[in-house]
Amino acid sequence: VDAARPVAPVSGASERRGGEVDYHAVKGRLHEQLLDEMSRLNVLAETDEQIETYVADFVSRILVEQELPLNEQERRRLFDDLREETLGVGPLSPLMADPAVTDILVNRHDLVYVERFGHLEKTDVRFRDVDHLVRIIQRIAARISRRSDAASPMVDARLPDGSRVNATLPPATIDGPTLSIRRFGRTRLRSEELLRLGMFSQAMLDFLRLIVRYRRNTIVSGGTGSGKSTFLGAIAEAIPERERVITVEDAAELVLDQEHVVRMETRPPNLEGQGRIAARDLVINALRMRPDRIIVGEVRGGE
């Protein structure tokens, strides 16, 4: 491993307020330095355990190399914060831990909304500044070998928990960076639960089950967040267990009961513009995999 570049000493006026060191300014600078080192050494592509070890070594090193004017509590907090912001999504972590939150929508660094139980709510969560939000976006992009900058201002990614992430930078968005996270649970509402909630009648559910069992081609259509995936998962319960199912999705989110399921996922091009796997390519390949059923999660073009 290449020798890490030394961390610049704390001397900027922006990191001092009234003669005292601004902890958040110090943390922001060190986080930028940490991400720079990890990107240069390709550490961001490693496992979470390896990244956490690198963060611990980084903090230990700068505390030895520099006399950072931080008290003991701030030094412990520095490691926790840098670890969280490098592995996680920074100040959004509490929202990610809330099982009631299905969407996290960052309109600006200081304006964050969530969706709970189908309703949008404004939160008190804030990023320190625009650069802080940009660093989080770039970290997410780097974990999947993507680049996020003015030349590549739009990123689609998937977090380790399966949540789908979309991020934009100027000039794609006029008012600054945005970040949208669609969360997916490991459990889903079953057809009986949707029946009790009034999503459909018993007669309609019976009819839908017949459509699936008799192998009729079916399109599920609706707006964002309207419940398409939930509805599809519910009617897919009628697929016989003996049948081989292949799913094609932009981000693997369907949760099916059947054991004989092969999941396929599209992939955007890498930093060199190579390696793109389109949904159409996956559908063509799926036809060669002896499928009984093909479920295409999203249809936008040639697929």
Side-chain angles (χ1 to χ4, degrees):
V1 178
D2 295 338
R5 285 178 284 184
V7 180
V10 179
S11 58
S14 62
E15 294 182 359
R16 296 184 180 275
R17 291 181 179 176
E20 295 184 0
V21 170
D22 181 354
Y23 169 81
H24 294 288
V26 172
K27 186 193 73 173
R29 177 179 60 79
L30 294 179
H31 187 223
E32 185 174 2
Q33 173 75 20
L34 174 62
L35 290 180
D36 178 62
E37 284 189 13
M38 296 177 74
S39 297
R40 184 166 50 86
L41 300 175
N42 200 30
V43 178
L44 285 168
E46 303 296 340
T47 65
D48 286 356
E49 291 76 12
Q50 290 170 310
I51 290 175
E52 184 169 354
T53 299
Y54 191 91
V55 173
D57 292 342
F58 175 85
V59 173
S60 298
R61 173 163 48 85
I62 64 169
L63 292 177
V64 171
E65 292 178 352
Q66 298 185 38
E67 294 183 0
L68 289 176
L70 302 175
N71 58 40
E72 186 62 30
Q73 181 179 0
E74 288 175 331
R75 291 182 177 218
R76 289 195 300 269
R77 180 182 169 193
L78 177 63
F79 168 70
D80 291 337
D81 288 351
L82 289 179
R83 177 185 59 187
E84 181 56 46
E85 295 204 4
T86 304
L87 288 173
V89 287
L92 301 181
S93 296
L95 302 179
M96 293 292 291
D98 186 346
V101 172
T102 53
D103 281 276
I104 300 172
L105 308 170
V106 182
N107 293 355
R108 298 194 311 259
H109 77 278
D110 58 350
L111 184 61
V112 179
Y113 284 83
V114 297
E115 181 181 281
R116 287 188 179 97
F117 307 110
H119 298 284
L120 288 177
E121 304 173 8
K122 187 177 179 180
T123 73
D124 296 328
V125 173
R126 301 287 185 272
F127 290 84
R128 187 168 61 88
D129 51 29
V130 172
D131 290 340
H132 186 194
L133 174 56
V134 170
R135 287 197 298 272
I136 293 294
I137 292 173
Q138 290 176 335
R139 186 203 66 78
I140 292 173
R143 293 295 298 276
I144 59 167
S145 300
R146 294 287 306 280
R147 183 179 65 200
S148 180
D149 52 28
S152 301
M154 296 181 290
V155 174
D156 271 309
R158 184 157 54 87
L159 296 177
D161 68 351
S163 299
R164 179 188 297 179
V165 177
N166 178 271
T168 64
L169 298 178
T173 42
I174 298 172
D175 298 323
T178 71
L179 182 63
S180 304
I181 302 177
R182 165 63 62 86
R183 301 186 61 216
F184 299 109
R186 293 306 174 191
T187 60
R188 61 173 173 81
L189 291 171
R190 304 189 61 80
S191 56
E192 292 81 5
E193 296 173 284
L194 296 178
L195 182 64
R196 287 197 300 271
L197 293 171
M199 187 170 185
F200 34 60
S201 65
Q202 183 64 58
M204 188 182 298
L205 177 58
D206 293 340
F207 174 69
L208 292 169
R209 285 171 172 169
L210 285 174
I211 285 178
V212 174
R213 287 172 185 166
Y214 284 90
R215 305 168 66 87
R216 300 298 91 186
N217 291 334
T218 306
I219 296 176
V220 178
S221 178
T224 302
S226 60
K228 298 185 297 297
S229 298
T230 301
F231 177 76
L232 177 57
I235 65 174
E237 293 173 15
I239 297 176
E241 186 67 34
R242 66 180 179 275
E243 294 189 358
R244 177 175 170 85
V245 181
I246 298 177
T247 65
V248 175
E249 301 177 83
D250 279 341
E253 62 186 70
L254 290 173
V255 180
L256 303 180
D257 291 340
Q258 290 75 14
E259 181 179 0
H260 201 168
V261 176
V262 177
R263 303 195 302 164
M264 305 181 77
E265 190 175 60
T266 63
R267 186 177 70 184
N270 59 20
L271 296 178
E272 291 74 34
Q274 306 295 320
R276 178 174 182 265
I277 303 176
R280 183 176 187 271
D281 302 325
L282 295 179
V283 171
I284 291 173
N285 192 81
L287 292 168
R288 301 168 181 151
M289 299 172 67
R290 198 259 174 224
D292 291 303
R293 309 271 181 160
I294 298 177
I295 299 177
V296 183
E298 288 166 292
V299 179
R300 297 195 184 95
E303 58 271 20

